[in-house]
Amino acid sequence: MRTIRKTTKKLAAFLLTGLLATTSLAGCGKDADDKTEQGATVNTPAANSPATVSTANAENTSEDNTSEEPVKVRHLVIGTGGTGPAPFIWTDEKGNLQGYDIAVWDEIMSRLPQYDYEWNVTGDLFAAVDADYLDGVVQHLGINEERKQKYIFSDVYTLLTSGVIVREDFPEDVVHDWSPFAGKKVEANPSSYYASVFEDWNETHPDQKLDIIYNENVDQWSDHVADRTTDFYPFTKSNLQYLIESKGLTGVKIIDFQPLDQTPEDIAKGGTAFLFPKDEVELRDAVNEAFEAAIADGTIAKLAEQYLGSAEYAPTLEQVLLARKAHNLQ
């Protein structure tokens, strides 16, 4: 385990630098390019989770416990962007961090008395890790080979099953490719994962092309399906369900997107994970162990039900092991 590397002056300088910049975050999905601007860095506690939770863990070093050796508590600084996509991460009107990802991390830490932690909100998470200011990152991050060259990852804690928002009169409840949408309108950010997927489809299926409308305002996409500006909008099912409910959209539904060649390993591999510096193996392993215990006792399924609307988005122990093998995480 590393010693705590953040001196007060060093961290204060980084905080001041961030506060002088504009908060911005990019890169939480499979299509993210790790391109984030330097953002404001402030300590923002999650609801019911103070910025530094050492007070709770300090019970483990109480003088009343004279029969056992006191637990040595290491203080962690955990980075997050503080935003999206909801319902995974967001900041409420009181400035508190909310969402499934935040709740899972809080639950894991509650099982590890050897650590306490504070949240550190910044617009440039990867730069902060590289500069040795953060011990870990909670930001709905996918695992890819480029990131694995520089960082290590926990086991996946969310399964990102895919769905599509369509209008209620769409005749199918599940699609296996984009052919049912031939000639239909769909919006995409020009630099996004789905833009490249749609463009590749059009190139390889000239007789079944999609009508791609480039629009960087993601918040409009679900509305545009409902008002018939566009015809469909694919994303993770949990996020689509959140959009429909939070916006009160009517006349639309969510259908499943299930490629015919999709395997159980593909489903498990497509999850999100916590990110750590390369030398935080001990911390990563402790997080994995606590997470597996939380799966086993049903806590993670309950959190998925609470925040995502269904326990299907919480991985089983079998799926955790499948993803670990597929990503060669250990």
Side-chain angles (χ1 to χ4, degrees), residues 164-199:
V164 187
I165 289 182
V166 295
R167 287 186 286 277
E168 284 182 332
D169 58 359
F170 190 81
E172 301 177 53
D173 293 322
V174 58
V175 294
H176 304 293
D177 58 27
W178 304 114
S179 59
F181 301 107
K184 303 295 184 181
K185 293 182 173 64
V186 61
E187 291 178 299
N189 187 312
S191 61
S192 72
Y193 165 74
Y194 274 111
S196 63
V197 168
F198 298 150
E199 290 162 356

Side-chain angles (χ1 to χ4, degrees), residues 127-196:
V129 174
D130 295 344
D132 214 24
Y133 294 117
L134 298 177
D135 299 295
V137 172
V138 178
Q139 187 52 44
H140 202 65
L141 294 173
I143 304 171
N144 60 40
E145 292 303 316
E146 181 180 356
R147 291 174 179 171
K148 283 167 59 180
Q149 296 300 313
K150 296 184 67 176
Y151 314 106
I152 59 175
F153 289 88
S154 71
D155 288 325
V156 297
Y157 59 85
T158 315
L159 297 180
L160 301 181
T161 53
S162 297
V164 187
I165 289 182
V166 295
R167 287 186 286 277
E168 284 182 332
D169 58 359
F170 190 81
E172 301 177 53
D173 293 322
V174 58
V175 294
H176 304 293
D177 58 27
W178 304 114
S179 59
F181 301 107
K184 303 295 184 181
K185 293 182 173 64
V186 61
E187 291 178 299
N189 187 312
S191 61
S192 72
Y193 165 74
Y194 274 111
S196 63

Side-chain angles (χ1 to χ4, degrees), residues 226-279:
D227 67 17
R228 296 181 175 269
T229 301
T230 59
D231 298 295
F232 67 103
Y233 168 28
F235 203 52
T236 61
K237 286 176 62 179
S238 55
N239 184 260
L240 296 178
Q241 187 62 45
Y242 175 83
L243 288 172
I244 290 175
E245 293 176 358
S246 63
K247 293 185 173 188
L249 299 180
T250 58
V252 296
K253 66 179 181 180
I254 299 173
I255 63 173
D256 290 329
F257 183 82
Q258 299 176 353
L260 291 175
D261 59 351
Q262 188 176 55
T263 67
E265 185 178 81
D266 292 330
I267 295 173
K269 187 178 179 180
T272 57
F274 304 123
L275 178 148
F276 303 97
K278 278 276 191 179
D279 57 351

Side-chain angles (χ1 to χ4, degrees), residues 206-225:
D207 297 329
Q208 297 177 314
K209 285 187 174 182
L210 309 175
D211 185 358
I212 307 171
I213 300 172
Y214 295 102
N215 178 8
E216 295 184 0
N217 191 342
V218 180
D219 190 56
Q220 296 177 341
W221 296 355
S222 56
D223 300 326
H224 285 170
V225 177

